[in-house]
Amino acid sequence: MSGGERGGAATRSAVRRTVGVLAGCLTAPVGLLYLLLAGVTLGAFLLWPRTRPYALGIFGSGARRLVEVEGRRRTRFFDDRFPETDGGEGVVRYLAVRSWSGLMCGVVLALLGFGLVLAGLLVGGVVRGTIGTAELLTQLALGGVLLFLGLQGLFALTALDARLAREFFGPSERELLRRRIDELSVSRAAVVRAVDVERRRIERDLHDGVQQRLVALAMLIGRARRGGGRDPERAAELLGQAHREAQEVLAELREVAWRVYPSALDSLGLEEALGGVAQRCGLPLRIAYEVTGPLPRPVVTAAYFVVSEAVTNAAKHSAASAVSVRVAGPLGGPLTVRIEDDGRGGADPAGSGLTGLRGRVSALDGVLRIDSPLGGPTTIVAELPCV
């Protein structure tokens, strides 16, 4: 989008919001008039206990219709999106406060309009020469102060309108805080589980892989030492096997170390570390790295492990013939990591591997999406905030 297009869009948005404020000034008297007339008409029925529930139902039904109009106004002119709500007992309270703030907003706009008329008269007086310098300076000072107060009042009332709508139509600040606490509790538990799973896997790799190979290496060296004097050729053969076994042990140790934490992340960066994943992958792996600017260290680590785990799972379980990885961002947005394979699909999002990835991503307030229909392909997308 060019600069001219952005400017035009900003102008249209400002005009639309101004129309929304004016519409709110027009709907406010309607709401206040309803509250007065309905309150006077139903007052006696509201006071009598036997008729109070019916009167409250009628009173709240009319108020709810007017509140729905306010919700549509906020959506139409201010692009607000609210969840479905019946309003409950807060309908009348919201309508009363909203009507009062709307009326005050109308009064402030009327005063600003009156100030413009006075400014026009002042300009006319200056042109005709009927206003002296001292009076002109006094009028300008008073007008500037009143203009400042009027604009401040207008901004405060529009902010109050938005806050009232957010608190009534959307979740309250208390509810948002409670949800955030729940999310943090869940993500913390997921991280703990992921760390435990990772530790168990490392222990299993060391015990079942490296340790067994070291035992075999020790046995080969022992056999070579015992038989070296009697059969030098057999000893040389055993030493050759021991040498090959030692090389394989070193390769497996490097693999385990890379799974724990690759040193290339610190020394070379994410792109080169992902190149190491491609070299060790048993499948053809195509990587598109489209990142502009530096990345936070936790994001780099999470992105690496998302790619590494997803590629490892694809090689082991998906029967895929190729995997593609795309890492893009950030330009004021999150880092997006997309892994796709052409395997048979059917990956279980609740499995231990994918659950660990989700916990790792959630710990950074990120989002992990998994799409793996039967027959494939499997697509994993992680969005990691870079703030």
Side-chain angles (χ1 to χ4, degrees):
M1 181 181 292
S2 64
E5 292 175 342
R6 287 194 294 268
T11 301
R12 289 191 295 272
S13 177
V15 171
R16 185 156 52 90
R17 289 174 176 271
T18 301
V19 174
V21 172
L22 294 175
C25 296
L26 296 177
T27 58
V30 177
L32 186 60
L33 185 62
Y34 170 80
L35 293 176
L36 292 175
L37 293 179
V40 171
T41 304
L42 299 173
F45 300 99
L46 290 171
L47 294 175
W48 193 21
R50 291 188 177 182
T51 59
R52 184 180 301 158
Y54 304 101
L56 284 174
I58 298 172
F59 189 61
S61 177
R64 190 172 291 107
R65 290 189 178 89
L66 294 175
V67 167
E68 290 173 355
V69 173
E70 293 294 336
R72 288 194 290 269
R73 178 182 67 87
R74 294 294 311 180
T75 300
R76 172 65 179 82
F77 295 106
F78 298 94
D79 296 328
D80 289 343
R81 296 292 183 269
F82 303 113
E84 295 293 332
T85 177
D86 58 2
E89 298 179 355
V91 171
V92 176
R93 183 183 66 84
Y94 169 76
L95 185 62
V97 178
R98 167 68 193 96
S99 299
W100 172 82
S101 66
L103 283 176
M104 292 300 298
C105 187
V107 170
V108 172
L109 288 174
L111 290 176
L112 290 175
F114 183 67
L116 290 176
V117 173
L118 292 180
L121 294 176
L122 181 63
V123 172
V126 171
V127 172
R128 291 191 301 271
T130 58
I131 296 179
T133 304
E135 184 179 358
L136 176 62
L137 294 176
T138 302
Q139 294 292 340
L140 289 176
L142 291 175
V145 171
L146 293 177
L147 177 62
F148 172 76
L149 294 177
L151 292 177
Q152 286 293 102
L154 182 61
F155 290 145
L157 288 170
T158 53
L160 175 62
D161 183 24
R163 186 168 66 252
L164 287 173
R166 185 169 59 250
E167 291 178 354
F168 178 78
F169 293 105
S172 63
E173 294 183 2
R174 183 187 297 272
E175 176 64 18
L176 291 175
L177 180 60
R178 187 190 64 79
R179 293 181 184 179
R180 181 59 177 161
I181 292 174
D182 292 342
E183 291 174 359
L184 291 175
S185 300
V186 172
S187 63
R188 183 184 63 181
V191 169
V192 172
R193 288 195 299 270
V195 170
D196 289 340
V197 170
E198 189 71 16
R199 286 174 176 172
R200 286 195 295 270
R201 191 183 68 174
I202 293 171
E203 191 277 334
R204 185 172 60 251
D205 290 343
L206 292 175
H207 181 272
D208 297 341
V210 176
Q211 180 176 317
Q212 297 300 323
R213 288 184 176 275
L214 288 174
V215 170
L217 176 61
M219 292 176 63
L220 285 173
I221 295 175
R223 290 170 60 188
R225 289 181 60 188
R226 288 193 300 271
R230 297 188 300 271
D231 191 352
E233 294 183 0
R234 177 60 178 166
E237 180 182 352
L238 291 174
L239 287 175
Q241 293 182 13
H243 182 259
R244 290 191 296 272
E245 188 71 23
Q247 290 178 325
E248 293 178 0
V249 170
L250 288 175
E252 190 160 345
L253 275 174
R254 283 194 295 267
E255 184 71 23
V256 173
W258 267 86
R259 287 201 294 269
V260 174
Y261 187 85
S263 59
L265 276 180
D266 294 329
S267 58
L268 301 176
L270 178 59
E271 185 175 8
E272 294 298 328
L274 294 180
V277 175
Q279 292 176 2
R280 298 189 311 277
C281 181
L283 298 174
L285 176 58
R286 185 176 68 255
I287 298 178
Y289 190 82
E290 305 167 1
V291 178
T292 57
L295 297 172
R297 177 58 54 189
V299 173
V300 170
T301 304
Y304 170 82
F305 280 106
V306 166
V307 174
S308 179
E309 291 296 324
V311 169
T312 300
N313 290 339
K316 288 183 177 180
H317 308 298
S318 70
S321 60
V323 184
S324 64
V325 174
R326 181 174 181 267
V327 183
L331 191 60
L335 180 71
T336 302
V337 181
R338 179 185 178 91
I339 306 99
E340 184 173 355
D341 67 65
D342 59 355
R344 60 194 173 198
D348 183 11
S352 59
L354 294 178
T355 301
L357 286 184
R358 181 173 285 107
R360 187 184 292 274
V361 172
S362 299
L364 299 178
D365 288 336
V367 178
L368 184 73
R369 295 190 296 271
I370 302 168
D371 182 23
S372 183
L374 289 176
T378 295
T379 303
I380 299 176
V381 179
E383 293 183 357
L384 302 165
C386 295
V387 294

